């Protein structure tokens, strides 16, 4: 609940299975971003519980939140790449600030870069990349720690349909390897082309789970 | 360990990126620490000087004509048991006359023509330097004045006391100045670190979202502040050494006779090191102030 009694989400009961690939859709303002913010523990709900991996997110201490977030990868519509760092530095930034050894950082970075097909751009800065390439870097960064859960909020909002599908294919690959994926998008056409379980929200209410 | 390496490389990167602002912070810190160092230097020199002057301040016990050996022995006992006296010398009347003639050769002939020696015998008393400014010295003088065989005690401390008050006032003003400058240095550094924090808010957000430990989030900023303060202190220290080496001889020459070369000495090692450490501490506080907002 935001200030002055605006409910972004109401009476929402939703279970997502481990290893599922779920689209979260609905019109703008339906509460998709809010649900993802709750799942990344950027906000806590004013009422109700979120249970992830058997643990309640609202009851976590600050250090438990840190530990929890290390198992979650995230991708945003605006990429959130660090403009002053190269592709390689952007990707290794995550294991680096988690104190992992340089050799491990390097091995993981090459693995995910190869996977998103950007191993030839590792010394480029984000502004030298196309939107699709930037989002692939963001996906690589989300995957570098082998997360159990990946949250993506409108990850293709700034991309044309072909690039969007390319990103979705990356998510499908991740999912095929056992990672739970939750993608928020209002792009019904994209959902139709990917064809996965879809949860629809409207004015903060669950209207469809198919 | 990795956190330290990370903090060092990120702090360095950040300072280099904003080298203009970093330089400004370093210079503010060094200005305040230089003034602090200079005040300490002047202060220790002044108190060393005052101590020497106080010890040399004449405490003389003039004997009445015809003071008996018993009376002299009693006077010596009073001096000896006071605990304030480092040494005493009996100056017979003839010796006093000789000294007077040496100091004022023009008057020597006139004095010599007098029928009798006008100068009394006396004790030249040397006070223990650390007690020379003690109020009990005044009480000793009063006690001696009452004693048989004593004509007068000369113990003029008024000018020394005036000087001491002056030094005390200067010290208070100096401390106030240092407090203001220290605060300014701390806030300048905090401002520069806040700038760095603002420039890197995107990185901080990513760090928060991937669950980076607080040490990684704040460490670089605290270190940046500390390094800025430390660099400022080292600069201040270098300038202080330069000023000391260049200024010592001219000052001693200018105040020849009053100030001896031994009075002007550089800060003791411990004080010098705390000055440099203090700079680092000021910077660290500035860094902490700024980094407090990032969690
Ligand atoms: N920080 C906020 N303060 C108040 N209301 C907010 C805030 N963020 C979002 N909202 C409101 O919450 C509702 C859901 O928003 P959001 O989750 O962003 O929707 P979506 O991502 O589906 O477009 C909207 O009505 C929006 O106006
Ligand atoms: Mg949204």
């Amino acid at each position: 609940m935001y200030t002055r009694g605006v409910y972004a989400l109401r009476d929402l009961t939703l279970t997502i299975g481990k290893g599922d690939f779920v689209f979260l859709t609905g019109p703008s303002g339906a509460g998709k971003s809010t649900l993802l913010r709750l799942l990344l523990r950027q906000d806590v709900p004013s009422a109700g519980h979120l249970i992830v991996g058997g643990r309640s997110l609202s009851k976590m201490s600050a250090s438990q939140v840190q530990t929890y977030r290390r198992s979650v990868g995230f991708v945003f519509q605006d990429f959130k790449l660090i403009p002053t760092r190269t592709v390689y530095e952007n990707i290794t930034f995550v294991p680096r600030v988690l104190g992992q050894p340089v050799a491990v950082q390097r091995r993981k970075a090459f693995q995910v870069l190869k996977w998103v097909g950007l191993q030839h751009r590792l010394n480029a800065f984000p502004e030298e990349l196309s939107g699709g390439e930037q989002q692939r870097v963001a996906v690589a960064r989300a995957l570098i720690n082998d997360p159990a859960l990946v949250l993506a909020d409108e990850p293709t909002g700034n991309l044309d349909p072909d690039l969007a599908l390319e990103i979705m294919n990356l998510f499908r690959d991740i999912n095929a390897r056992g990672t739970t994926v939750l993608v928020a998008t209002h792009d019904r056409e994209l959902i139709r082309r990917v064809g996965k379980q879809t949860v629809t929200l409207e004015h903060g209410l669950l209207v469809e789970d198919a | 360990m990795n956190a330290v390496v990370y903090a060092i490389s990120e702090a360095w990167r950040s300072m280099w990126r904003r080298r203009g602002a970093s330089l400004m912070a370093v210079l503010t810190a060094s200005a305040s620490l230089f003034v602090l160092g200079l005040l300490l230097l002047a202060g220790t020199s002044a108190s060393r000087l005052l101590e020497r002057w106080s010890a040399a301040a004449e405490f003389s016990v003039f004997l009445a004509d015809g003071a008996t050996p018993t009376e002299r022995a009693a006077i010596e006992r009073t001096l000896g048991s006071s605990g304030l006296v480092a040494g005493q010398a009996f100056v017979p009347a003839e010796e006093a006359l000789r000294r007077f003639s040496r100091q004022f050769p023009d008057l020597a002939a006139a004095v010599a023509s007098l029928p009798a020696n006008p100068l009394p015998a006396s004790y030249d008393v040397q006070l223990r330097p650390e007690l020379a400014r003690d109020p009990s010295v005044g009480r000793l003088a009063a006690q001696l004045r009452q004693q048989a065989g004593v004509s007068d005690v000369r113990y003029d401390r008024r000018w020394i006391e005036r000087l001491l008050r002056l030094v005390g006032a200067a010290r208070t003003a100096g401390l106030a100045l240092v407090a203001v400058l220290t605060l300014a240095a701390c806030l300048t550094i905090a401002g520069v670190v806040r700038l760095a924090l603002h420039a890197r808010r995107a990185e901080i957000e990513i760090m928060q979202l991937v669950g980076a430990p607080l040490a990684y989030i704040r460490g670089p900023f605290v270190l940046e502040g500390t390094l800025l303060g430390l660099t400022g202190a080292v600069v201040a220290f270098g300038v202080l050494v330069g000023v000391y080496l260049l200024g010592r001889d001219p000052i001693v020459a200018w105040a020849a006779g009053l100030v001896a070369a031994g009075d002007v000495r550089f800060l003791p090692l411990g004080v010098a090191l705390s000055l440099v450490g203090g700079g680092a501490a000021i910077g660290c506080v500035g860094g902490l102030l700024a980094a407090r907002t990032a969690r």
Side-chain angles (χ1 to χ4, degrees):
Chain A
M1 186 179 95
Y2 289 116
T3 46
R4 296 224 143 259
V6 179
Y7 288 84
L9 295 168
R10 283 176 292 169
D11 301 333
L12 185 73
T13 305
L14 178 62
T15 305
I16 294 171
K18 188 170 156 50
D20 285 359
F21 188 125
V22 177
F23 276 114
L24 195 58
T25 189
S28 188
K32 306 183 292 294
S33 296
T34 302
L35 181 57
L36 293 189
R37 287 180 59 80
L38 291 172
L39 283 169
L40 198 47
R41 190 49 168 74
Q42 288 173 284
D43 283 323
V44 283
S46 46
H49 306 280
L50 283 97
I51 313 285
V52 179
R55 310 208 32 197
S56 169
L57 295 194
S58 6
K59 290 187 187 133
M60 284 181 174
S61 67
S63 77
Q64 286 170 328
V65 169
Q66 280 174 10
T67 312
Y68 165 68
R69 283 180 175 170
R70 289 171 201 165
S71 68
V72 181
F74 53 84
V75 179
F76 297 100
Q77 179 171 358
D78 59 357
F79 318 138
K80 287 200 197 295
L81 298 178
I82 301 161
T84 55
R85 294 180 195 264
T86 64
V87 167
Y88 180 78
E89 288 168 342
N90 261 282
I91 291 174
T92 50
F93 189 68
V94 177
R96 201 167 156 233
V97 299
L98 295 177
Q100 296 173 13
V102 175
V104 175
Q105 296 172 24
R106 185 193 306 266
R107 180 174 53 71
K108 287 179 166 180
F110 280 107
Q111 195 179 325
V112 290
L113 273 171
K114 186 161 165 239
W115 200 51
V116 301
L118 281 175
Q119 62 274 52
H120 57 295
R121 302 308 309 269
L122 61 158
N123 289 319
F125 285 91
E127 64 179 12
E128 299 164 6
L129 301 177
S130 71
E133 286 173 327
Q134 289 187 45
Q135 196 58 302
R136 270 145 67 195
V137 175
V139 172
R141 180 179 62 188
L143 300 182
I144 194 162
N145 264 336
D146 230 339
L149 171 65
V150 169
L151 304 172
D153 193 359
E154 307 278 2
T156 60
N158 288 344
L159 305 179
D160 62 46
D162 286 344
L163 288 178
L165 200 59
E166 202 176 284
I167 296 292
M168 284 306 146
N169 285 335
L170 286 177
F171 286 133
R172 261 205 299 227
D173 290 350
I174 308 164
N175 177 246
R177 304 195 317 176
T179 299
T180 309
V181 178
L182 186 55
V183 179
T185 179
H186 61 270
D187 186 348
R188 297 221 162 240
E189 175 59 20
L190 184 69
I191 296 174
R192 197 188 54 73
R193 284 167 72 182
V194 178
K196 288 281 184 184
Q197 182 191 347
T198 305
V199 172
T200 308
L201 298 177
E202 231 164 83
H203 304 301
L205 291 165
L206 182 69
V207 294
E208 196 189 348
D209 189 351
Chain B
M1 190 54 215
N2 285 339
V4 176
V5 173
Y6 171 79
I8 291 171
S9 82
E10 289 302 315
W12 171 250
R13 185 185 167 116
S14 171
M15 283 189 290
W16 183 244
R17 192 169 273 278
R18 271 168 299 282
R19 38 196 179 277
S22 302
L23 189 67
M24 185 185 74
V26 164
L27 291 182
T28 319
S30 65
S32 69
L33 289 163
F34 172 72
V35 172
L36 174 60
L38 206 60
L39 285 170
L40 284 172
L41 197 57
T44 47
S45 295
S47 44
R48 203 174 294 124
L49 195 62
L50 279 177
E51 199 153 277
R52 198 166 59 80
W53 285 354
S54 300
E58 228 166 297
F59 188 107
S60 300
V61 183
F62 295 99
L63 302 184
D65 281 340
T68 64
T70 331
E71 285 165 348
R72 277 178 48 190
I75 293 167
E76 283 172 21
R77 265 200 307 281
T78 308
L79 287 171
S81 62
S82 70
L84 299 170
V85 175
Q88 66 208 40
F90 179 67
V91 183
E94 307 80 61
E95 170 65 17
L97 185 62
R98 257 197 306 280
R99 280 189 195 173
F100 180 83
S101 308
R102 219 180 304 126
Q103 271 176 344
F104 307 100
D106 300 345
L107 299 174
V111 174
S113 67
L114 291 172
N117 181 356
L119 297 174
S122 66
Y123 282 101
D124 264 5
V125 179
Q126 254 195 306
L127 298 171
R128 287 166 58 182
E130 69 277 16
L131 294 170
R133 299 176 204 159
D134 203 87
S136 55
V137 175
R139 287 198 291 276
L140 176 65
Q143 185 191 346
L144 283 164
R145 276 194 197 97
Q146 305 294 322
Q147 209 155 323
V150 174
S151 75
D152 193 15
V153 175
R154 215 177 63 207
Y155 169 59
D156 191 6
R157 305 211 29 93
R158 255 170 307 181
W159 64 275
I160 282 266
E161 253 136 40
R162 220 168 288 154
L163 211 57
L164 281 173
R165 270 200 296 278
L166 205 69
V167 168
R171 185 174 297 154
T172 310
L175 281 178
L177 183 64
V178 166
V180 170
L181 287 172
T182 302
L183 192 68
C186 193
L187 293 181
T188 309
I189 290 175
V192 169
V193 175
R194 204 168 292 136
L195 221 63
L197 209 76
H198 185 72
R200 296 178 55 196
R201 61 197 182 287
E203 298 181 19
I204 293 172
E205 188 187 1
I206 299 293
M207 285 197 260
Q208 290 163 339
L209 292 180
V210 300
L214 213 53
Y216 275 83
I217 298 177
R218 289 185 183 171
F221 300 107
V222 176
L223 189 70
E224 182 171 343
T226 309
L227 287 176
L228 290 173
L230 184 67
T231 312
V234 170
V235 169
F237 189 77
V239 175
L240 195 64
V241 170
V243 165
Y244 166 73
L245 290 177
L246 290 175
R248 179 185 50 184
D249 292 343
I251 285 180
V252 171
W254 174 70
L258 284 176
V259 178
D263 292 328
V264 185
R265 258 179 270 159
F266 199 65
L267 299 174
L269 186 66
V271 176
L273 286 179
S274 358
L275 195 69
V276 173
I282 289 172
C284 183
V285 170
L288 279 170
L289 274 179
R292 199 180 32 148
T293 51
R295 61 174 123 253

